[in-house]
Amino acid sequence: MNPEQRKAKYGVGGAIAIMMQIQLIVVCAALILTSYGIISTLKTGKEAAVSIEWNRLIVYTLQAITCIAILVFGTLHFHKKKIAYFKWVVYCYAFLEAVRCALLSTNGIEKWPSIVAKFLLVMLACGLILLAEHLGEKKYNILAYVLIFLEAALFLVFAFNFATNSRLLFKLLPIIGVLICASICLFNEAKIKQKAYFDGLRAEKAKEGIAE
């Protein structure tokens, strides 16, 4: 499929089309990392003969589901003009953030990092729901970038306060949230451009019809 055919089908081209392909590869990597986290959590609990860390396992499982939802949307549903599937992807991630907040263990963590982490998770869940209601609207696109900033701040809080005695894997896994949020932001940008492209085509056809 050449660039012209790709733009005719998807409504986007150039740099953003390339970035979308790259970010799908990145989400694949995030899915692999999350899957490894799930396996490692199960293996650690079995080898140490202790109870499985269910909170961690539930969050990683939901992260994997969200990554799969993004991949399915990007490969099978992006070209469709309806926004419904994309909306459910964002709702899925908002649910994940709400679950992360509810299951977040703050035992042995200082007061302020615990408060900041929970506050950021609540803000992310609420912000994602708001974004889901306004996907593809240009004036709300700034919200997607704010959510990336909040997710990055949350990653730093986790890395420096919650995973200080953990293996490197568990320090890196929270960055998956940043990757997911960045994917949602990029897809939202692409949806805005897609809408503008197809609206422009409809306007041109309408003018041609009037001219005839």
Side-chain angles (χ1 to χ4, degrees):
M1 188 182 292
N2 61 43
E4 292 291 332
Q5 291 173 322
R6 191 179 297 113
K7 187 160 187 178
K9 180 178 180 180
Y10 295 102
V12 293
I16 196 163
I18 295 171
M19 286 174 64
M20 284 174 62
Q21 293 173 23
I22 293 171
Q23 67 94 18
L24 285 175
I25 295 171
V26 171
V27 173
C28 280
L31 177 59
I32 292 169
L33 185 61
T34 303
S35 300
Y36 184 71
I38 293 170
I39 294 168
S40 182
T41 301
L42 291 169
K43 186 177 178 182
T44 300
K46 185 177 180 181
E47 289 180 349
V50 296
S51 60
I52 296 170
E53 294 182 76
W54 287 105
N55 289 9
R56 194 189 293 264
L57 185 61
I58 290 169
V59 169
Y60 291 164
T61 302
L62 289 175
Q63 279 186 338
I65 291 170
T66 304
C67 288
I68 292 169
I70 290 172
L71 292 172
V72 170
F73 169 71
T75 55
L76 301 178
H77 293 273
F78 175 78
H79 67 283
K80 298 176 182 176
K81 296 173 187 177
K82 289 184 179 179
I83 208 80
Y85 190 86
F86 187 24
K87 184 174 287 191
W88 280 109
V89 170
V90 180
Y91 277 140
C92 180
Y93 189 50
F95 176 72
L96 165 60
E97 298 293 49
V99 170
R100 286 174 78 189
C101 184
L103 298 181
L104 182 64
S105 174
T106 57
N107 293 332
I109 306 299
E110 292 183 10
K111 180 180 177 181
W112 284 110
S114 301
I115 292 172
V116 170
K118 284 187 175 289
F119 174 75
L120 288 172
L121 285 166
V122 170
M123 290 292 290
L124 280 162
C126 294
L128 285 162
I129 291 171
L130 180 61
L131 181 64
E133 293 301 313
H134 297 281
L135 289 172
E137 296 180 25
K138 193 170 183 178
K139 67 179 180 179
Y140 282 91
N141 197 40
I142 185 66
L143 178 58
Y145 289 95
V146 171
L147 293 174
I148 294 175
F149 172 78
L150 293 176
E151 195 68 67
L154 181 64
F155 166 68
L156 293 175
V157 171
F158 277 134
F160 289 104
N161 297 279
F162 284 78
T164 53
N165 298 316
S166 299
R167 291 159 49 192
L168 179 62
L169 169 68
F170 296 123
K171 289 177 180 283
L172 292 177
L173 277 167
I175 204 170
I176 291 171
V178 181
L179 299 178
I180 292 173
C181 223
S183 293
I184 289 172
C185 179
L186 180 59
F187 274 130
N188 194 52
E189 282 269 16
K191 272 294 179 185
I192 291 169
K193 291 184 181 297
Q194 182 190 62
K195 184 177 183 299
Y197 176 75
F198 287 123
D199 284 350
L201 286 182
R202 280 193 293 270
E204 285 181 12
K205 287 180 180 178
K207 286 180 180 178
E208 288 174 3
I210 292 171
E212 291 174 1

